[in-house]
Amino acid sequence: MMLFWNRGFEQTSVDDLASAMDIRTSSLYSSFGDKETLFLEAVEYYQNGRGSVYDAAVLAGKTAREGVENLFRVTAIERTRKDQPSGCMLCLALPTCSPKYEHLQKELDRLRDLSDTVLLKRLEEGVQSGEIAPATDLALLVDFFRTTLWGMSLKARAGASRETLMDIGKMALQAWPSPPLHKRTKKRPLPSTV
């Protein structure tokens, strides 16, 4: 997982993987079949482990906004940890690929879509609770937040500090849609004239 995360799928050789796992190349093939299968297992391992903190952060907020604030905070922390490669494995392990690996890209797209669905549902709850105006284009808001998160991943890989990523998250939250204006249910009495 760490090799794919750090170097990317295409730049990681079978020899690199066998060496990191302290096994022979033939053992790697007999255990996993091929590099692609091993990559997908590494991605699944990431999603169930270190990558699971992002959806959990969104769901942990008492409000939709708090969930998104949690997401940006956790992203800044996780993507700058010293005990793992910087950035996000789903963003960086296969950002582009040759056509023969398009099926791998589709699998990563599917996993990212699942995460987007978690975020979208949280924003829909915000609309239902009156926290977000009903006219808000929630799909576009999810796309905006996801694009910001991908950018944070690239910035982390380029060496940006945790504080810089925190500031980027705070800036992105300025796009948070205002809550709807509530109409008064009772008219104020007109002032009396003398």
Side-chain angles (χ1 to χ4, degrees), residues 2-41:
M2 294 294 191
L3 276 177
F4 285 132
W5 188 350
N6 191 41
R7 297 182 187 176
F9 172 77
E10 292 188 282
Q11 290 73 33
T12 303
S13 71
V14 172
D15 288 339
D16 294 333
L17 293 164
S19 175
M21 294 189 292
D22 199 24
I23 59 174
R24 293 177 179 224
T25 305
S26 58
S27 296
L28 186 143
Y29 283 118
S30 65
S31 298
F32 298 101
D34 57 19
K35 182 174 118 171
E36 294 172 37
T37 303
L38 180 56
F39 175 71
L40 291 174
E41 288 194 29

Side-chain angles (χ1 to χ4, degrees), residues 43-115:
V43 167
E44 182 179 348
Y45 183 77
Y46 172 82
Q47 277 294 92
N48 293 329
R50 295 178 187 223
S52 67
V53 298
Y54 302 107
D55 290 346
V58 172
L59 298 172
K62 293 177 185 167
T63 64
R65 183 181 173 102
E66 189 177 305
V68 175
E69 287 172 350
N70 287 345
L71 175 60
F72 281 117
R73 181 179 45 76
V74 167
T75 296
I77 293 167
E78 287 295 312
R79 295 187 183 174
T80 56
R81 283 175 48 169
K82 301 298 180 201
D83 63 336
Q84 65 188 26
S86 57
C88 169
M89 183 180 182
L90 291 186
C91 295
L92 300 173
L94 195 66
T96 60
C97 61
S98 55
K100 69 179 178 177
Y101 297 124
E102 195 172 308
H103 61 287
L104 296 177
Q105 189 64 262
K106 285 182 180 177
E107 177 58 16
L108 294 184
D109 288 343
R110 185 188 71 78
L111 294 172
R112 288 187 286 256
D113 287 347
L114 289 175
S115 230

